[in-house]
């Protein structure tokens, strides 16, 4: 009796159907496991909104930004208090700008 591959793979015997069922179930299960692993890895890589967070103590840009912001604030405040609004001296303008920025508020205007 000659072996026919077509009959083996396309046959409808209960044994062949069982083997096909097990093969397909394991193939699907393997595919689902790899899909879950990929999904889990993506979740681990993108773990929340704090993934790219770097605190100010370890960020080189944070200290530069604060220094630039403070300098710009002081410059604009001194110019505004000394030459535009109040005509105060530069020292008094600097004092008042520092008092307002730090929200100390000594009450002397």
């Amino acid at each position: 009796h000659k072996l026919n591959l077509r009959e083996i793979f396309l046959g409808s015997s209960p044994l062949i159907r069982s083997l096909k069922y097990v093969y397909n179930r394991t193939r699907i299960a393997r595919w689902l496991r790899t899909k879950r692993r990929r999904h889990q890895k993506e979740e681990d890589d993108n773990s929340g909104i704090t993934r790219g967070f770097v605190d100010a103590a370890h960020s080189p840009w944070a200290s530069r930004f604060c220094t630039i912001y403070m300098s710009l604030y002081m410059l604009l405040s001194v110019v505004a208090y000394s030459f535009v609004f109040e005509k105060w001296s530069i020292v008094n303008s600097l004092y008042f700008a520092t008092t307002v920025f730090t929200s100390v508020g000594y009450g002397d205007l």
Side-chain angles (χ1 to χ4, degrees):
H1 184 353
K2 189 173 174 185
L3 210 69
N4 187 355
L5 292 178
R6 183 179 179 100
E7 185 180 318
I8 291 174
F9 289 109
L10 298 177
S12 61
S13 71
L15 178 63
I16 298 298
R17 281 193 307 240
S18 299
L19 290 174
K20 285 181 183 178
Y21 176 78
V22 170
Y23 172 74
N24 288 330
R25 292 288 292 186
T26 56
R27 189 174 66 184
I28 291 171
R30 191 177 332 126
W31 176 77
L32 286 174
R33 277 194 303 269
T34 56
K35 188 173 180 176
R36 277 190 222 122
R37 282 188 201 126
R38 282 190 203 129
H39 184 67
Q40 183 64 34
K41 185 173 180 166
E42 288 173 5
E43 281 183 1
D44 291 344
D45 291 343
N46 301 325
S47 59
I49 60 174
T50 60
R51 179 178 67 91
F53 176 76
V54 177
D55 61 323
H58 296 97
S59 172
W61 290 102
S63 59
R64 290 179 193 149
F65 178 74
C66 290
T67 304
I68 290 170
Y69 180 74
M70 282 285 299
S71 302
L72 186 63
Y73 171 79
M74 289 296 177
L75 178 70
L76 290 175
S77 299
V78 168
V79 168
Y81 292 135
S82 294
F83 303 109
V84 178
F85 299 120
E86 300 293 332
K87 309 295 186 212
W88 291 340
S89 69
I90 293 177
V91 174
N92 285 342
S93 297
L94 192 58
Y95 167 77
F96 191 73
T98 305
T99 305
V100 168
F101 185 77
T102 58
S103 68
V104 173
Y106 290 122
D108 51 352
L109 179 59

